[in-house]
Amino acid sequence: MLPPRALSFQHRAEADQLRTAVDSGGTAVLSQVLTGTGGVGKTQLAADYARTAWDSGGVDVLVWISASSRSAITAGYAQAGVEVLAADPSDPEQAARAFLARLEPKAGQKPCRWLVVLDDVSDPADMRGCWPPTSPHGRVLVTTRRREAALTGAGRRLVTVGLFTPQEAAAYFTDVLAAHNRHEPTDQIHSLAADLGHLPLALAQAAAYIIDADLSCASYRKLVADRLKKLADLLPEPSALPDDQAVTVAATWSLSIERANHIRPAGLARPMLEIAAMLDPNGIPSAVLTSDSALDHLTANRGTENRTTTQVTAEDAVGALRALHRLSLIDYTPGTPHQTVRVHQLIQRTTRDDCPSGQRVGVALTAADALIDVWPDIERDTGLAQALRANTDALSHHAEGALFQADGGPHVVLLRTGQSLGESGQLTAAIHHFQHHLAATRSYWGADHEATLTCRNNLAMWQGRAGDPAGAAALTAEVLVDRERVLGADHRDTLSTRNNLAMWQGWAGDPAGAAAALSELLVDRERVLGADHRDTLSTRLNLAMWQAELGDGAGAGAAYIELLVDLERVLGADDPTTLRTRYNLADRWGEAGDPARAAAAYAELHVDFERVLGADHPDTLSTGSALASWRGKAGDTAGAAEATAELLADFERVLGADHPETLRTRRNLADWRGEAGDLAGAAAATAELLADFERVLGADHPETLSTGSALASWRGKAGDAAGAAAAYADLLVALERVLGADHPQTLGARHSLAGWRGKAGDTAGAAAATAELLADFERVLGPDHPDTLGARGALAHWQGKAGDAAGAAAAYADLLADRERVLGADHPQTLGARHSLAGWRGKAGDTAGAAAATAELLADFERVLGPDHPDTLGARGALAHWQGKAGDAAGAAAAYADLLVALERVLGADHPQTLGARHSLAGWRGKAGDAAGAIESFSEVHVALERLLGADHPDTLDTRDNLTYWRHVSNETDAQ
């Protein structure tokens, strides 16, 4: 007997699949198997198919059999034999055989068109010898929760029935309510359908409960969300089920679980499903469910179907997963390692409801242990990390109390999840996680518990990394007070908090305070832990870092070298702390004026990072980024851009597109492309990047503000000096508000603002602003800090631009003496001061002296940086310039022609430095009497600048004016 049509039956795509069943060759498929988890509507689809076939006159005999057992199948065939063939009802076996024989096609007899539906086959073995015969006039339809290959042999086609689509679910629910004159808001209907996982049976029974209890959808959703209520309590009584349903959705899977538990390896399906019920329904990594903790749980909780005490193996666990899959209780897809197992949320809830409360706590802790078992210390696989976080979130939702009340304190999986969020770049999410973690830990364990203090410390750390170092310092200072009170001043955790406080103090803009605090800490760590303790050695590393930030690069470099000896002796050459120290030392060499040495050191270090940590470790990638940077600073800007582009692909693959390290690499790429000559491209790329920084880290994060500074700079370099100045003025307001007026980043923005104001034409204003800035640099960083010396150079520059060339030369002479004392004679900044000094001497009238000084400088540039470094090439251009200014225009033109060949080879034809040299070559050709040559060269430069910078760029306009001038000169000469 066909089951009645469900109220508000929904036509589904699976119905069309059944009616248009053909194989790949176009031949009709006569036997089909509908499979899917309990409650998806297989029976209703089969009934619709059968009813349509009968009503259309397409079959002569229709048999519907409830096939939950072999005896039920035999009884169904026997009943059909009695009704169709008048077989003897006292011999059901013979009646069943007679009916199946009747379905065989026979020559000379009128064909019998038949359809046999076997509903809810529970075991493929029950169908042995019970399949109807193959006939061109007959069709077979089976519904089952099983999906073994045995069901789909002999040309039978498998049709998988899934959940309602969101649209189907909403339409069904709306129709059922409307049939009872009930109407609910569309958004609530969609939300309730999602709460119930779009399961047709659950929707039908929920609708009946809502109607009978006179509830709104919103009220029912609150009941569903109440974790203290069992699902069975939210469904109708069996006597009140709709559509002649026999069991509630809460009971519909019980038999399937029981059957799965009997499949080999027997007794493991239920405890495996209990673990899976605690985790993410959308995907559980296979490694979690085959971890040591999971195997121990399966061993201890094996069902009575198998009483052995043998330790469960990973192969057994996979067998349990396959058993659950065969009964459609889970979807098990080994080809998707991060989402190998999916479980419908209501199957999970029913499984949790059936698990005694005391046992449920143990299952939850097992799930937490299993997650930690497979959580890597280094998250190279972002997909796995995301899946582990999602599973921890689901576990926390179901059993947060159990996790927070684990032995000794909150379960470590909660801490690991917060760290993972931060390490993946989700800084705001990490903060929210630890805020919640802190409130719960304090509630369960008290304010002075070690876990509470640790959580406060972590919250401060991620607040600082999210862009609030001052706030992090304040929070860490509070933690320090409590740790000293609770643990004592010499406890290792107390000393670690002091270290963190010093670091945040430095990052908040007080490097001197950080260095002083670390110096004091070093004494205490040596006293308490010993000179060779890892924490003591790390303190020396941090102290050297802030020493460098204070401007003592030489002292920091010496400290790194001394520390390296101890690190290699105590921790070994491959320890991460040793490698980080080498990283900092390489940076010191570069900052000390030897970018080639820094690049070579980073190249060696990159090999070691790759060997020790792997090619995809973030530290390895960062080392590759530093290597590219120093190669660029050593003169190979195009190579730096190319290497950074390759690294960006790796960062995106390993860490994801939105990770802060990935975003920083994009900024490096934009910068190196700009340095390689593509100013407009650098500005455009930085503008896109700024939007992403604002979206990911927020508008006030220091990285975002730094990117805004880079954007303003590139726009200025691309020709909009006034726009750059305006952008820096706006940026400065934000920096002072977020970081404070004395923060180095704020002082740097003031420096840039003054510079772009000068380039926009306000040289006097630039000089005045730089003078004020210089006083603040000296007060905050000291007179010998490189940034202070840089401000002195800028002040001398604007003094010269304001008309006092002699004063500028004198100021640069004083600056040069201090740079030689502080940085050394061969430091690039010292060489730069010599370059500027020669230039201003020339502009003050001593052209011969300028030429002689530049010639000496060129030899030093070539010795220190190499003949192809951009600064060396710039010195060659300056020498040619002063040669011309000294009266040798032809010699200057020849020198620029030679220089142009080198610039095109090293930097490319479109690099600004190359175009500048071509511009100078054109001018000196004209001054040497070759007006035609000047016109030709200026024309080439004008075309290039218009293409690269636009017709309105100041450099383009200047070149156009020169071209007009030399055309005028040429015309006058021709007229004479």
Side-chain angles (χ1 to χ4, degrees):
M1 180 177 179
L2 289 179
R5 186 181 183 88
L7 179 66
S8 303
F9 175 81
Q10 294 288 302
H11 180 79
R12 302 169 69 181
E14 290 89 343
D16 294 330
Q17 281 185 268
L18 292 174
R19 294 191 181 98
T20 59
V22 293
D23 62 19
S24 58
T27 304
V29 176
L30 303 178
S31 297
Q32 301 184 84
V33 179
L34 277 174
T35 184
T37 192
V40 292
K42 301 182 296 295
T43 297
Q44 280 295 317
L45 284 167
D48 175 69
Y49 177 80
R51 191 175 291 108
T52 301
W54 181 261
D55 291 345
S56 67
V59 295
D60 303 313
V61 175
L62 169 61
V63 178
W64 181 283
I65 298 176
S66 295
S68 58
S69 66
R70 187 174 182 86
S71 60
I73 295 170
T74 301
Y77 283 146
Q79 181 65 29
V82 170
E83 295 186 13
V84 175
L85 303 176
D88 182 359
S90 65
D91 189 351
E93 291 284 344
Q94 176 57 35
R97 286 194 295 272
F99 175 72
L100 290 175
R102 174 68 180 85
L103 302 182
E104 291 274 5
K106 299 176 178 63
Q109 287 189 3
K110 179 182 178 182
C112 175
R113 300 171 301 164
W114 52 265
L115 168 62
V116 174
V117 181
L118 296 134
D119 184 40
D120 195 24
V121 171
S122 60
D123 189 339
D126 292 342
M127 292 297 296
R128 290 196 192 104
C130 291
W131 286 98
T134 300
S135 168
H137 310 298
R139 285 173 280 172
V140 180
L141 180 60
V142 170
T143 74
T144 181
R145 301 179 195 184
R146 305 289 287 261
R147 25 190 176 188
E148 286 94 333
L151 289 168
T152 56
R156 294 183 285 272
R157 187 179 77 152
L158 190 72
V159 177
T160 300
V161 182
L163 305 167
F164 272 154
T165 67
Q167 294 75 23
E168 288 170 343
Y172 170 82
F173 211 83
T174 301
D175 289 348
V176 171
L177 292 178
H180 292 82
N181 295 316
R182 290 285 304 274
H183 302 281
E184 292 283 337
T186 301
D187 63 329
Q188 287 294 330
I189 289 175
H190 276 281
S191 296
L192 178 56
D195 292 344
L196 299 174
H198 304 109
L199 184 72
L201 184 62
L203 290 166
Q205 295 182 3
Y209 188 96
I210 286 172
I211 292 165
D212 291 344
D214 194 24
L215 293 173
S216 67
C217 280
S219 298
Y220 187 75
R221 288 187 65 212
K222 290 180 181 177
L223 295 176
V224 171
D226 186 347
R227 283 174 280 173
L228 297 179
K229 291 187 178 296
K230 291 189 175 184
L231 182 61
D233 297 333
L234 307 178
L235 301 172
E237 296 289 339
S239 60
L241 292 173
D243 302 324
D244 288 346
Q245 294 166 7
V247 295
T248 65
V249 68
T252 193
W253 296 293
S254 297
L255 186 56
S256 292
I257 296 172
E258 186 69 23
R259 287 170 179 161
N261 228 32
H262 282 84
I263 297 175
R264 289 181 299 176
L268 297 184
R270 184 183 299 276
M272 176 62 82
L273 188 58
E274 287 172 350
I275 300 174
M278 292 290 179
L279 298 170
D280 183 16
N282 298 310
I284 306 168
S286 58
V288 174
L289 299 175
T290 57
S291 66
D292 289 344
S293 296
L295 298 182
D296 290 343
H297 175 81
L298 296 178
T299 301
N301 293 275
R302 191 193 303 261
T304 56
E305 296 82 358
N306 187 338
R307 295 184 180 276
T308 179
T309 58
T310 304
Q311 175 68 29
V312 173
T313 66
E315 291 76 14
D316 295 332
V318 170
L321 293 172
R322 293 190 183 280
L324 292 167
H325 177 79
R326 287 161 67 182
L327 269 298
S328 296
L329 291 163
I330 67 171
D331 287 320
Y332 176 62
T333 53
T336 53
H338 304 333
Q339 297 176 309
T340 310
V341 175
R342 294 174 182 263
V343 197
H344 193 279
Q345 62 211 57
L346 294 186
I347 294 179
Q348 288 185 309
R349 181 160 186 168
T350 299
T351 303
R352 293 193 302 271
D353 288 348
D354 290 344
C355 188
S357 58
Q359 183 178 335
R360 198 181 313 155
V361 171
V363 175
L365 294 177
T366 292
D369 291 341
L371 289 167
I372 286 298
D373 284 348
V374 302
W375 210 313
D377 292 334
I378 301 165
E379 294 181 353
R380 297 187 180 94
D381 187 335
T382 55
L384 174 60
Q386 171 58 34
L388 294 174
R389 292 194 298 269
N391 276 273
T392 306
D393 287 345
L395 176 60
S396 298
H397 179 75
H398 302 317
E400 183 176 80
L403 296 182
F404 274 103
Q405 296 180 79
D407 291 343
H411 196 284
V412 68
V413 76
L414 298 169
L415 173 64
R416 187 68 188 90
T417 299
Q419 292 173 332
S420 178
L421 284 168
E423 289 164 4
S424 71
Q426 301 177 67
L427 305 178
T428 302
I431 291 172
H432 290 161
H433 174 88
F434 279 112
Q435 286 172 337
H436 174 74
H437 192 174
L438 175 59
T441 304
R442 184 182 278 128
S443 173
Y444 284 113
W445 295 97
D448 287 343
H449 191 275
E450 179 183 354
T452 306
L453 297 174
T454 298
C455 189
R456 288 170 61 193
N457 195 59
N458 284 319
L459 177 58
M461 177 182 71
W462 292 113
Q463 184 168 334
R465 292 192 184 182
D468 184 12
L475 287 176
T476 307
E478 294 174 2
V479 175
L480 179 59
V481 171
D482 290 332
R483 275 192 161 160
E484 287 178 336
R485 174 177 53 80
V486 174
L487 303 176
D490 287 343
H491 191 279
R492 185 179 177 186
D493 288 349
T494 305
L495 297 176
S496 294
T497 307
R498 285 175 59 189
N499 178 80
N500 295 346
L501 176 57
M503 297 300 285
W504 289 121
Q505 188 175 356
W507 282 318
D510 183 10
L518 288 168
S519 294
E520 294 178 4
L521 175 63
L522 180 59
V523 173
D524 289 333
R525 274 187 161 166
E526 287 178 337
R527 174 178 55 80
V528 174
L529 302 174
D532 287 344
H533 192 279
R534 176 183 293 276
D535 291 355
T536 306
L537 297 172
S538 294
T539 306
R540 289 170 60 188
L541 174 60
N542 292 335
L543 177 57
M545 184 190 76
W546 290 114
Q547 191 174 353
E549 289 294 322
L550 285 169
D552 184 10
Y560 286 134
I561 292 172
E562 184 180 342
L563 175 61
L564 264 178
V565 174
D566 291 333
L567 285 169
E568 290 176 345
R569 173 178 55 83
V570 176
L571 303 179
D574 290 343
D575 187 86
T577 303
T578 306
L579 295 175
R580 281 197 297 273
T581 304
R582 287 174 58 192
Y583 188 108
N584 287 6
L585 177 58
D587 224 35
R588 279 299 92 220
W589 284 333
E591 294 294 343
D594 195 348
R597 186 183 185 187
Y602 272 116
E604 293 178 5
L605 184 59
H606 188 260
V607 172
D608 289 334
F609 264 118
E610 198 168 54
R611 174 178 54 81
V612 175
L613 299 179
D616 287 344
H617 189 279
D619 287 352
T620 306
L621 296 176
S622 294
T623 304
S625 184
L627 171 59
S629 177
W630 284 113
R631 281 179 174 167
K633 291 176 182 178
D636 184 11
T637 53
E642 182 180 354
T644 305
E646 293 176 3
L647 276 166
L648 177 59
D650 290 333
F651 270 112
E652 289 177 336
R653 173 178 54 81
V654 174
L655 299 179
D658 284 345
H659 193 281
E661 285 295 335
T662 306
L663 298 177
R664 291 186 197 105
T665 306
R666 282 175 59 191
R667 188 168 63 207
N668 290 343
L669 178 57
D671 287 345
W672 285 118
R673 283 179 172 164
E675 293 294 340
D678 184 8
L679 306 179
T686 307
E688 292 179 8
L689 177 62
L690 179 59
D692 288 333
F693 263 120
E694 289 177 339
R695 174 177 55 81
V696 174
L697 298 180
D700 285 345
H701 192 281
E703 293 279 9
T704 306
L705 298 173
S706 178
T707 305
S709 176
L711 176 58
S713 177
W714 286 119
R715 283 179 173 165
K717 291 176 181 178
D720 186 9
Y728 270 111
D730 292 339
L731 178 65
L732 187 58
V733 174
L735 285 167
E736 289 178 337
R737 173 175 53 80
V738 174
L739 299 177
D742 287 344
H743 193 280
Q745 197 169 338
T746 307
L747 298 176
R750 285 175 60 191
H751 194 163
S752 297
L753 172 57
W756 287 112
R757 279 180 175 167
K759 291 174 183 178
D762 183 10
T763 53
T770 306
E772 292 179 7
L773 175 64
L774 177 58
D776 289 330
F777 265 126
E778 290 176 335
R779 173 178 55 81
V780 174
L781 299 178
D784 287 343
H785 193 281
D787 289 350
T788 306
L789 298 177
R792 283 176 60 188
L795 180 57
H797 172 83
W798 293 119
Q799 187 176 356
K801 285 290 186 180
D804 185 6
Y812 269 111
D814 291 340
L815 174 62
L816 178 58
D818 287 332
R819 278 194 169 162
E820 286 178 338
R821 174 177 56 80
V822 174
L823 302 175
D826 287 343
H827 193 283
Q829 290 183 23
T830 305
L831 299 177
R834 285 174 60 189
H835 195 160
S836 297
L837 172 58
W840 287 112
R841 280 179 175 168
K843 291 174 183 177
D846 184 8
T847 53
T854 305
E856 291 178 8
L857 175 64
L858 177 57
D860 289 333
F861 264 126
E862 289 177 336
R863 174 177 56 80
V864 174
L865 299 179
D868 286 344
H869 192 280
D871 289 351
T872 306
L873 298 175
R876 282 179 61 183
L879 181 57
H881 172 81
W882 292 118
Q883 187 175 355
K885 286 290 187 179
D888 185 7
Y896 270 115
D898 291 341
L899 173 61
L900 190 58
V901 174
L903 285 167
E904 289 179 338
R905 173 177 55 80
V906 175
L907 300 178
D910 287 343
H911 192 278
Q913 200 168 337
T914 306
L915 295 174
R918 288 172 66 186
H919 189 281
S920 297
L921 172 60
W924 288 113
R925 276 181 174 171
K927 292 175 183 177
D930 183 8
I935 292 170
E936 179 185 1
S937 294
F938 275 124
S939 295
E940 293 173 357
V941 177
H942 184 262
V943 170
L945 289 173
E946 196 166 49
R947 171 172 54 84
L948 296 169
L949 302 179
D952 293 335
H953 190 279
D955 290 349
T956 309
L957 297 175
D958 180 60
T959 305
R960 189 182 67 184
D961 291 343
N962 277 285
L963 179 58
T964 301
Y965 170 78
W966 286 110
R967 280 175 175 165
H968 178 70
V969 170
S970 178
N971 289 336
E972 284 190 344
T973 302
D974 290 342
Q976 291 175 359

